[in-house]
Amino acid sequence: MALFVEVVKARSFRGAADIIGMPNSTLSRRISALEKTIGLRLLHRTTRKIELTEAGQIYYERCKRIVDEAKLAHEQLGEMLSQPSGVLRASLPVDFAVTYMAPLIAEFARLYPGIVFDFDLTSRRVDLVSEPFDVAIRIGEPENSQLIARPLAVLPVYLYASPRYLDRSGEPAEPADLAHHECLGIMKASTWTLHDGAHTTKVSIGSRFTLNSVGMICRLAALDMGIIMMLEKIVADDLASGRLRRVLPQWHGAPVSVYAVTETRLLPAKTQHFIKFLQEHLGRV
């Protein structure tokens, strides 16, 4: 049953064999024997991929829960003897992880010396079903309702620009003035929504740059290229050095939610401890 679950998750025998560390031919024979024992075909096999039959889909949903429960039982027994251990595989957003999470990860690593870390810092949204990740840290509302999203923190967002940019272009006195400024946003954002506690306004923005990197946006702002709307911690060093300062300080963007996303609710101790630690500390950084 565990081998069958791995084949379905990997969507191929070869991929599952590599993850398990078993010869592809052996794995194929084991699954064929399982089908023979059950008396039903579970998988449609082609040269490129495998697909579940109707019976296979039903069997997979039951098997996966059983296998997850069994893994959790082994993990909980292990906790009776020692601290959480094993490899923690996590997908992290690049700039947020480097700026916000690095100090917390270092502290967590000191608390749990038995855990080994395998982090993938990338802007792409990894597939938690088919890729071997224990958890993904994501900014913004979760998109896939079939995954399990646990809230970690809600973080403030403000406007920033370099003093030299403001000297050259003038400092906006109200949100409407942003229409006449270079505003560096993620991708092709055409509007910003701002709040001052009592009021909300939406302003049109424009820029010569189309970017998908938070780090690059912050760097260009520090190089006098425009105004940015950003999490405060990400620009903390630029604020401390005077390369950036707050713009329209009474206004702020919508707070950003941060989530830990997993493929299942049945989590091993290493993942449970990591998520709990972030929930307790991330919003206080």
Side-chain angles (χ1 to χ4, degrees):
M1 291 170 70
L3 297 179
F4 171 70
V5 168
E6 290 298 331
V7 170
V8 176
K9 289 173 67 175
R11 299 177 186 173
S12 75
F13 281 90
R14 185 172 300 280
D18 290 340
I19 293 171
I20 299 168
M22 175 183 290
N24 187 28
S25 57
T26 302
L27 178 59
S28 181
R29 285 197 302 271
R30 295 285 294 274
I31 300 302
S32 294
L34 175 65
E35 291 177 315
K36 186 176 180 180
T37 300
I38 294 172
L40 289 170
R41 177 65 64 86
L42 301 175
L43 300 171
H44 289 303
R45 297 163 172 82
T46 69
T47 56
R48 293 188 176 182
K49 62 180 180 179
I50 60 99
E51 293 180 352
L52 287 166
T53 64
E54 182 179 359
Q57 182 65 48
I58 295 171
Y59 193 65
Y60 171 72
E61 291 171 1
R62 295 293 184 90
C63 286
K64 186 179 182 308
R65 287 197 293 270
I66 294 170
V67 170
D68 285 343
E69 287 279 5
K71 288 179 179 178
L72 189 59
H74 281 273
E75 181 70 31
Q76 289 173 340
L77 289 175
E79 280 190 87
M80 296 174 65
L81 300 175
S82 63
Q83 285 190 321
S85 60
V87 179
L88 176 65
R89 296 180 175 88
S91 169
L92 311 174
V94 182
D95 299 292
F96 182 79
V98 171
T99 306
Y100 252 86
M101 297 185 63
L104 296 181
I105 290 170
E107 183 179 348
F108 182 79
R110 285 190 288 268
L111 289 174
Y112 300 102
I115 296 178
V116 176
F117 301 90
D118 183 352
F119 290 152
D120 183 313
L121 274 68
T122 178
S123 57
R124 76 181 180 92
R125 298 234 160 179
V126 300
D127 186 345
L128 291 171
V129 176
S130 63
E131 297 184 69
F133 288 97
D134 298 297
V135 62
I137 306 303
R138 292 180 176 168
I139 298 174
E141 296 299 320
E143 297 175 358
N144 190 336
S145 60
Q146 295 183 347
L147 299 175
I148 310 302
R150 296 168 175 82
L152 299 179
V154 179
L155 305 174
V157 175
Y158 301 110
L159 297 169
Y160 304 95
S162 71
R164 283 190 295 186
Y165 171 82
L166 296 172
D167 288 342
R168 183 181 72 230
S169 303
E171 184 153 354
E174 57 185 34
D177 294 340
L178 294 173
H180 309 294
H181 283 268
E182 279 280 327
C183 296
L184 307 172
I186 289 288
M187 299 301 289
K188 296 183 179 180
S190 59
T191 60
W192 281 346
T193 301
L194 301 174
H195 313 269
D196 71 351
H199 305 93
T200 297
T201 184
K202 184 175 289 188
V203 296
S204 297
I205 63 168
S207 173
R208 295 160 58 196
F209 297 94
T210 298
L211 304 163
N212 66 351
S213 166
V214 169
M216 186 64 170
I217 287 173
C218 295
R219 181 66 175 145
L220 287 175
L223 292 171
D224 318 318
M225 296 306 295
I227 298 173
I228 59 174
M229 186 162 64
M230 191 61 56
L231 293 170
E232 184 176 29
K233 186 66 177 179
I234 288 182
V235 296
D237 290 343
D238 289 321
L239 289 173
S241 67
R243 289 188 294 268
L244 294 176
R245 65 179 176 84
R246 283 277 298 273
V247 177
L248 294 171
Q250 70 274 28
W251 293 88
H252 60 85
V256 171
S257 297
V258 185
Y259 291 86
V261 181
T262 60
E263 190 262 339
T264 177
R265 294 186 185 278
L266 299 172
L267 302 177
K270 61 188 178 184
T271 312
Q272 290 183 22
H273 282 71
F274 185 62
I275 293 174
K276 183 179 179 182
F277 182 85
L278 293 179
Q279 286 175 324
E280 293 174 349
H281 294 85
L282 190 59
R284 306 175 188 172
V285 176

